[in-house]
Amino acid sequence: MTAVLPDRAERVAAAPAAEHRGPGGFAWIGLCAALIAGAPIGALGILALQGNAAHWLHLATAVVPYALHETAVLLGGVTVFVVVVGTGTAWLVTAYAFPGRRMLEVALLLPLAFPAYVMAYAWIDLMHPIGPLQSGLRALLGIERPAELRLPDLRSLPGAVLVFGLALYPYVYVAARAAFLARMTTLTEAARTLGAGPGRVFGRVALPLAWPAIAAGTSLVLMETLNDVGAAEFLGVTTLTTTVYSTWVNRSDLAGAAQIALAMLAIVLALVLAERTARGARSFAVGGGAQRALPPRRVDGIAGLGLLALGALVVALGFGLPTGHLAWQAALRLAEGHGGATLLPAIGNTLLVAVLATVAAVLTGLVLVEGRRLHPGSRLHAAVLRVATSGYAVPGTVLAVGLLVVLGGFDRAARAVVEFAGGAPTGLLVSASIGAVVLAYVVRFVRLAATQVETGLERIPPTLDQSARSLGRTPAGVMSAIHLPLLRASLAGAALLVFVDCMKELPATLLLRPLNFDTLATLLYGEAARGTYEDGAIAALLIVAIGLVPVAVLVRLGRPPATLEARP
Amino acid sequence: MTKVWYRLTAIVLATGALSAHGIAAEVNVYTTREPGLFAPLAADFTARTGIKVNTVFVKDGLAERVAAEGAGSPADLLMTVDIGNLVELVDKGVTRPVTSPALAAAVPAHLRAADGAWYALSLRARLVWADKSLGLTSVSYDDLADPKWKGKVCIRSGQHPYNVALVAAMIAHVGEAKTEEWLTGLKANLAKKPGGGDRDVARDILGGLCQIGVGNSYYVGLMRSGKGGAEQKTWGEEVAVVLPTFTGGGTHVNASGAALAKHAPNAAEAEKLLEYLLSPEGQKIYAEQNFEYPVRADAAVDPIIAALGKLTPDTLPLAEIAKHRKAASLLVDKVGFDR
């Protein structure tokens, strides 16, 4: 024991010296990621400068006040919806044991697989005055004419809140569930010992501890909502993004669209910063103590079935009904001999780009977040993290155009070099390649991975890092020996979110892909774009089915976390 | 597992091979036309000529993509579904003219650029759909703003390209000030906020949400043919369809069309494809697949569309309408059409 002390002291003295060797691996990788993610945004900046400001008068008077209002109401409504539903369902499956809980745990993730616009189409089909639900209701009540029984129209702001909420609450559910499962056992048990009922435990212990995770999940939902064009237009909601879109597409004013998009990006970044500042230095990490699963409270009988029904209702609305409708449409089309030939290669392509992008995005996100965690106070690491993950806040179509400009510029430069050297003119190297699509996904979705890792790390006490560093571990050593085992569930969650979003991604896929390269999402969208989305029902179901695989893996990996093995 | 790797390798190699152009008897098509509609035409063309057709469906940003790819672009033929986008390609300088007596003979002068920079391939008309009980037999676009329809009209977003083109055509006819009045009147007549797609207009009329609405001709074909299922056949058959006209003009049509890419590596094949698309055989597939009006005078219209009545297309040149697209989009915002 005595022999250890001087040794340890030596290492403590040696550790700070290592910091002076200049940027390490974390910083270099972070810088590269920031450069790659920053390039298309930079290109947008250049595009924006080429436009004039004349259209701002039009926007300020005719568009922005209204679009801002609709956007704010939509985002506000969706926030309330996803926080309540996402957190509530996560608490339901982690705090209580009731019949069917394990199934519900998985099922609650399923709406993730739905592109929001498909959810919108399916719900409009179901809820339309001459759709099955209202027709059935009229038949039941003996009413003949649709005009005599009028349910509220889903094509409205409240309808959009419902559709986006149902499609996106899993982002909060994933985050909150991981938070509830991890590291609050001791506090919860203490609260219980002191006589707190489930309500008090939830309100006074679990919720405050999970709050950073819930906030992070919600910010992802808000950016997804803000990014959407298809569902918003279909539901008759004018958001800032649909404004960008009509400026570009209908007025051929890409510069103007880039200006609005960058203004939006600035607003989003300001909000993110404000949230960070508000959260401040509050540390939610719980120090010490063994980590065990929180034993859920057993609820049997009618009450247990009641809890199951509550969760099942959310699954039914967010997944069961729209999927049932799609399955019915798909069955009709299969019976007519639709589908087939184009689907198989599309499945291969979808898996290829989604898997590549998921691996790349999760690794990049991990390195970025760990870089900041392991170099506390380093402005460089904080900055590269922020820049490298900003792609998620730019509307997908606009980001894709920025990337197009960058890749095209690269290809033109390469071509010029080859020709200068006397070589034959080449085609495209990076534009219109699978690599371009994967790159776009990573730039766009690395934020999803980073957020999951961040909320996971927040629950690992920094004292562990400090002890390890003082014992001579390098930053990479701390990451691999301490963080990675504890981050298993967070990494699995990150991979799931990125994978599923890659499968659904449209604007970048449509704009950057090579010839003859279809994914399930582009096949589905091809039909939706001509107004026959139900002809894409088979592709939509396949997206959902493939999404099930990582969901199952996640739930397995996400079960109560591994304990740190005590080293002899 | 090895099979998967073979597949991955094959995909990667195939992509590499495609980007290194110059393989004989191929043509690369960048299109905003939905793949399901173009595939039958491509298959028939390949069967006839042996020329392989490679396609990529690009929804928005076609012009930006071709411009960014520059001289290395593999694009040969650029196809759009909206005349505005087609003219934009030409304006951006990513096309080059094709002059061919066969093409000039196939397409009427107002449906192509004078210098051969672009050609319309098919047309669709913006029609009025109505509750059958109204017994509506004729209507003008101006009538849509008549206060007698207050609270009875359904339409999709004013910023949808179909509607932007209609408003642009109105501007071309009566000028911006009068169009603004008309659009304000139409807005005042709406039964609900604009939204949904064209087929929703038919559904909404059947659901009693509104009495008349605006929709494209080919959706009538899609619905009435039963291609979208029995349910949609009912939607299509239960609404009355009227061909409206501008006062002193014809029915508003929009065109899908094509242009040859400036750096087309397979220009000869692209011209062949263009000629095929405008041949009686190609035009027939257009009419059958998507219930559009062919541009060739001697090609037959699908019987379902023919039954709607005789189409008298507006005689204003499409290029003229396309010029007013931006003003139309601004006007839609200005009157708060989508609010």
Side-chain angles (χ1 to χ4, degrees), chain B residues 220-294:
Chain B
V220 180
L222 275 177
M223 292 189 292
R224 288 190 179 174
S225 69
K227 275 190 177 179
E231 209 181 16
Q232 291 181 28
K233 196 169 158 71
T234 319
W235 305 349
E237 282 167 355
E238 292 302 309
V239 291
V241 177
V242 189
L243 273 59
T245 52
F246 287 108
T247 309
T251 301
H252 171 62
V253 293
N254 201 335
S256 78
L260 185 66
K262 188 175 174 187
H263 301 290
N266 310 297
E269 287 80 4
E271 282 182 40
K272 265 196 195 135
L273 176 57
L274 192 55
E275 275 167 20
Y276 163 78
L277 294 173
L278 286 163
S279 69
E281 297 79 17
Q283 291 277 295
K284 184 163 177 277
I285 297 185
Y286 259 112
E288 285 170 355
Q289 275 296 316
N290 201 32
F291 306 96
E292 288 186 283
Y293 293 97

Side-chain angles (χ1 to χ4, degrees), chain B residues 53-249:
Chain B
V53 184
N54 304 307
T55 51
V56 63
F57 162 58
V58 177
K59 182 67 174 72
D60 301 302
L62 177 62
E64 281 81 4
R65 172 159 173 179
V66 182
E69 289 178 350
S73 175
D76 293 312
L77 198 63
L78 311 174
M79 295 175 63
T80 76
V81 287
D82 178 82
I83 185 66
N85 298 129
L86 193 56
V87 173
E88 193 191 343
L89 290 172
V90 179
D91 289 346
K92 271 217 155 161
V94 297
T95 64
R96 63 172 133 148
V98 189
T99 44
S100 141
L103 295 176
V107 186
H110 71 285
L111 297 177
R112 59 183 157 88
D115 64 348
W118 59 266
Y119 293 86
L121 297 170
S122 64
L123 303 174
R124 51 182 182 269
R126 202 89 182 117
L127 306 181
V128 165
W129 300 348
D131 190 327
K132 270 192 174 167
S133 66
L134 293 171
L136 197 68
T137 51
S138 80
V139 67
S140 76
Y141 291 110
D142 301 83
D143 287 343
L144 292 172
D146 189 323
K148 73 174 176 186
W149 296 117
K150 194 159 184 59
K152 291 175 179 165
V153 182
C154 280
I155 194 166
R156 76 191 305 169
S157 164
Q159 288 293 0
H160 190 277
Y162 296 161
N163 286 336
V164 171
L166 176 63
V167 177
M170 187 60 103
I171 293 177
H173 273 282
V174 300
E176 228 174 297
K178 285 253 176 71
T179 303
E180 184 177 343
E181 261 172 53
W182 171 74
L183 205 57
T184 310
L186 174 55
K187 155 87 188 147
N189 284 347
L190 295 183
K192 58 189 213 40
K193 262 175 83 167
D198 275 10
R199 288 178 314 171
D200 290 271
V201 170
R203 266 208 285 203
D204 288 348
I205 292 171
L206 297 184
L209 295 175
C210 39
Q211 295 202 320
I212 63 170
V214 179
N216 264 356
S217 51
Y218 69 84
Y219 286 110
V220 180
L222 275 177
M223 292 189 292
R224 288 190 179 174
S225 69
K227 275 190 177 179
E231 209 181 16
Q232 291 181 28
K233 196 169 158 71
T234 319
W235 305 349
E237 282 167 355
E238 292 302 309
V239 291
V241 177
V242 189
L243 273 59
T245 52
F246 287 108
T247 309

Side-chain angles (χ1 to χ4, degrees), chain A residues 58 61-63 66 70 124-125 128-130 146-147 150 153 155 233-238 245-246 248-252 254 329 333 336 338 344-345 348-349 352 397 401 404-405 408-409 412 415 426-428 431-434 510-517 522 525-527 529-535, chain B residues 7-8 11 15 18-19 21 28-30 34-37 52-61 64-65 67-74 85 88 157 159-161 164 192-197 199-200 203-204 206-209 218-219 222 227-229 231-232 235 290 325-326 329-330 333-334 338-339:
Chain A
H58 166 78
T61 51
V63 185
Y66 182 72
E70 293 252 297
I124 294 295
D125 277 358
H128 195 274
I130 59 168
R150 182 68 48 80
D153 194 350
R155 286 164 295 184
E233 194 216 282
F234 191 73
L235 296 167
V237 180
T238 306
Y245 197 74
S246 43
W248 173 35
V249 174
N250 288 334
R251 298 171 208 153
S252 310
L254 183 60
Q329 296 294 340
R333 271 144 196 89
E336 285 170 23
H338 276 269
L344 220 55
N349 292 340
L352 176 74
T397 331
V401 172
L404 195 67
V405 171
R412 272 203 297 278
R415 201 179 152 85
T426 54
L428 303 173
S431 298
S433 68
I434 290 174
L510 284 171
L511 195 55
L512 301 172
R513 68 198 165 130
L515 287 155
N516 301 335
F517 185 88
T522 65
Y525 185 72
E527 296 295 348
R530 63 188 267 233
T532 51
Y533 93 98
E534 61 289 334
D535 283 348
Chain B
R7 229 193 111 57
L8 294 186
I11 290 171
T15 334
L18 285 176
S19 53
H21 57 254
N28 300 325
V29 181
Y30 283 19
E34 295 73 19
L37 297 177
K52 184 168 180 263
V53 184
N54 304 307
T55 51
V56 63
F57 162 58
V58 177
K59 182 67 174 72
D60 301 302
E64 281 81 4
R65 172 159 173 179
E69 289 178 350
S73 175
N85 298 129
E88 193 191 343
S157 164
Q159 288 293 0
H160 190 277
V164 171
K192 58 189 213 40
K193 262 175 83 167
R199 288 178 314 171
D200 290 271
R203 266 208 285 203
D204 288 348
L206 297 184
L209 295 175
Y218 69 84
Y219 286 110
L222 275 177
K227 275 190 177 179
E231 209 181 16
Q232 291 181 28
W235 305 349
N290 201 32
R325 202 166 64 123
K326 184 173 176 182
S329 171
L330 291 172
D333 277 350
K334 193 177 170 196
D338 284 350
R339 289 184 195 178

Side-chain angles (χ1 to χ4, degrees), chain A residues 98-163:
Chain A
F98 50 88
R101 176 178 71 112
R102 284 281 157 106
M103 228 161 62
L104 196 60
E105 251 182 326
V106 183
L108 281 163
L109 286 164
L110 296 177
L112 266 186
F114 266 94
Y117 77 95
V118 176
M119 183 84 89
Y121 282 124
W123 268 107
I124 294 295
D125 277 358
L126 287 166
M127 287 294 291
H128 195 274
I130 59 168
L133 293 180
Q134 291 208 46
S135 297
L137 191 61
R138 281 197 304 274
L140 210 65
L141 299 172
I143 297 169
E144 269 184 29
R145 293 184 51 241
E148 287 163 25
L149 176 86
R150 182 68 48 80
L151 297 185
D153 194 350
L154 265 186
R155 286 164 295 184
S156 61
L157 212 46
V161 168
L162 187 72
V163 166

Side-chain angles (χ1 to χ4, degrees), chain A residues 405-485:
Chain A
V405 171
V406 174
L407 297 173
F410 182 88
D411 273 343
R412 272 203 297 278
R415 201 179 152 85
V417 168
V418 168
E419 277 173 32
F420 180 75
T426 54
L428 303 173
L429 287 174
V430 288
S431 298
S433 68
I434 290 174
V437 175
V438 172
L439 186 69
Y441 289 178
V442 176
V443 169
R444 186 118 167 63
F445 298 130
V446 70
R447 169 70 140 271
L448 288 170
T451 303
Q452 295 300 310
V453 176
E454 251 176 349
T455 52
L457 271 182
E458 270 174 6
R459 287 187 301 272
I460 303 175
T463 46
L464 277 184
D465 303 15
Q466 287 148 16
S467 320
R469 289 304 304 277
S470 65
L471 288 167
R473 291 273 181 179
T474 58
V478 177
M479 177 174 92
S480 65
I482 299 176
H483 293 170
L484 284 185

